[in-house]
Amino acid sequence: MNRFLVPLLAAASVFTVASCSSDSSSSNATNTVTTPTGTAPDSTAAHAGGHTYACPMHPEVTSTKPGEKCPKCGMELVHNDQVSNGKSYQMQFEPKPMQLVAGQPVTLTYTPQEIGNEKAPVPLAVVHEKKIHLIIVRKDLSVFDHEHPEFTADGNYKAAFTFPKGGDYVLFQDYTPDGSGHQLGRQVVSVQGPKYTPVKFRQDQMQWSKDGYQATLAFDKELKVGQLLGMKITLSKNGQPVTDLDKYLGALGHVVVISEDTERYLHVHPNDQADKGPVIGFNTNFEKPGLYRVFLQFNHGGQIHTGDFTINVKA
């Protein structure tokens, strides 16, 4: 039985995955292989200088002061013991059927493993109401899906999915083992289907509209690397401000930012706010320049809506 072994890394880390072929009509996902590029940070070293606090999703963000928030995602920093147990993890991935074909249902199966103790169960923490957030994007970042694999009696997590078109897709698993820090898994899979012309994003796209909804993306300063940025998204429907947003997975909105080459991934959490729109506020920053796609999800009128934007970050 062919399976992927996919390392799980801190969110700021990435690892490369080589697809066996860029030809969407003939590539087989089972030939994709991944290799680790790092491990979870060692929590014991952090105590050498006294108590430290770190972001659960970005363990490289630390502070000696309690109560501060991560500039990348907005989450409150927690005591370092809660961020890392010093262990490394990997994800076993198996699609059924193994040959992925556009328009045909597939079951995506994930089994988290502790490296060096692969048979031991790895309980996962509930983060934003789910244990795994599975982000699926087409390699050109023109297609975005957010799924939640469910735990099964076999000790793994499964999600049913149907790829809409052929081509290469990137699958991110966003989750946290109990007692450890946030982990990020990544695989590239190839889906058989009619060839398509990849969408090439170039210019900033700061507005989105669909089904009567409009969203405007704005930053409080110029988009450059290495600085804290206030990000705001303003929502309206049929020209009227949306002031009655419902929560989605415990928050007014979720934002995922992915670089053009899909090697950089950022899950951004909204700031605390008393109202329900029309503005959703976030804080973030960028470590490398380039083009990024920004995907927003919000809950209104009993439905989950997904908007998308394009930004260019300067050096």
Side-chain angles (χ1 to χ4, degrees):
M1 180 179 295
N2 291 330
R3 292 183 178 182
F4 299 101
L5 286 180
V6 180
L8 302 180
L9 310 176
S13 301
V14 296
F15 55 92
T16 57
V17 184
S19 177
C20 61
S21 170
S22 60
D23 183 355
S24 62
S25 63
S26 60
S27 297
N28 190 313
T30 61
N31 293 325
T32 304
V33 179
T34 62
T35 55
T37 60
T39 58
D42 184 359
S43 62
T44 59
H47 284 287
H51 292 291
T52 59
Y53 301 84
C55 174
M57 293 193 68
H58 304 98
E60 76 281 2
V61 176
T62 62
S63 173
T64 59
K65 299 179 180 179
E68 293 190 346
K69 293 188 176 182
C70 175
K72 293 185 177 182
C73 66
M75 292 189 72
E76 184 171 341
L77 305 188
V78 299
H79 195 275
N80 200 269
D81 283 346
Q82 299 174 250
V83 174
S84 175
N85 55 15
K87 298 178 181 179
S88 298
Y89 298 91
Q90 65 185 11
M91 180 66 86
Q92 189 180 70
F93 168 55
E94 180 185 4
K96 289 185 179 181
M98 302 298 287
Q99 179 63 68
L100 305 178
V101 180
Q104 296 185 11
V106 63
T107 299
L108 306 175
T109 301
Y110 289 97
T111 307
Q113 297 178 336
E114 178 189 338
I115 295 177
N117 192 17
E118 285 77 7
K119 294 189 179 299
V122 178
L124 301 182
V126 175
V127 179
H128 282 281
E129 301 183 355
K130 298 293 181 179
K131 292 189 173 183
I132 298 181
H133 296 269
L134 173 61
I135 303 299
I136 302 174
V137 294
R138 203 164 72 179
K139 198 67 162 55
D140 64 358
L141 298 181
S142 66
V143 174
F144 174 93
D145 283 281
H146 184 172
E147 305 294 331
H148 301 106
E150 295 294 337
F151 188 70
T152 73
D154 296 328
N156 52 33
Y157 297 80
K158 295 184 178 181
F161 189 72
T162 301
F163 291 91
K165 296 182 179 180
D168 289 339
Y169 288 76
V170 184
L171 283 59
F172 296 96
Q173 305 88 59
D174 186 336
Y175 63 100
T176 303
D178 278 346
S180 184
H182 168 257
Q183 308 290 326
L184 182 66
R186 178 185 182 274
Q187 306 97 31
V188 175
V189 298
S190 292
V191 179
Q192 287 190 351
K195 291 185 177 181
Y196 67 91
T197 301
V199 179
K200 188 64 176 178
F201 299 96
R202 298 185 185 278
Q203 303 299 320
D204 287 352
Q205 173 198 338
M206 307 296 281
Q207 293 187 330
W208 165 86
S209 61
K210 186 177 180 181
D211 299 330
Y213 288 93
Q214 301 85 35
T216 301
L217 173 66
F219 293 88
D220 63 349
K221 56 179 70 75
E222 188 177 7
L223 274 173
K224 290 184 177 181
V225 299
Q227 61 180 349
L228 180 63
L229 297 166
M231 180 173 71
K232 292 184 178 180
I233 298 178
T234 304
L235 292 166
S236 63
K237 183 178 183 183
N238 298 324
Q240 299 299 315
V242 176
T243 58
D244 57 347
L245 285 170
D246 296 313
K247 288 188 175 181
Y248 171 53
L249 301 175
L252 283 186
H254 280 266
V255 166
V256 171
V257 183
I258 304 175
S259 62
E260 184 178 22
D261 60 6
T262 72
E263 295 292 343
R264 290 180 291 280
Y265 170 100
L266 188 61
H267 187 173
V268 186
H269 298 264
N271 300 326
D272 294 332
Q273 58 186 79
D275 58 33
K276 297 182 178 181
V279 178
I280 309 174
F282 305 81
N283 287 325
T284 190
N285 69 5
F286 295 89
E287 295 179 350
K288 292 187 177 181
L291 184 143
Y292 291 81
R293 293 277 287 154
V294 179
F295 299 97
L296 163 72
Q297 290 189 293
F298 63 94
N299 184 7
H300 188 250
Q303 293 185 334
I304 306 302
H305 306 271
T306 301
D308 59 282
F309 311 88
T310 305
I311 57 176
N312 287 274
V313 179
K314 298 179 180 180

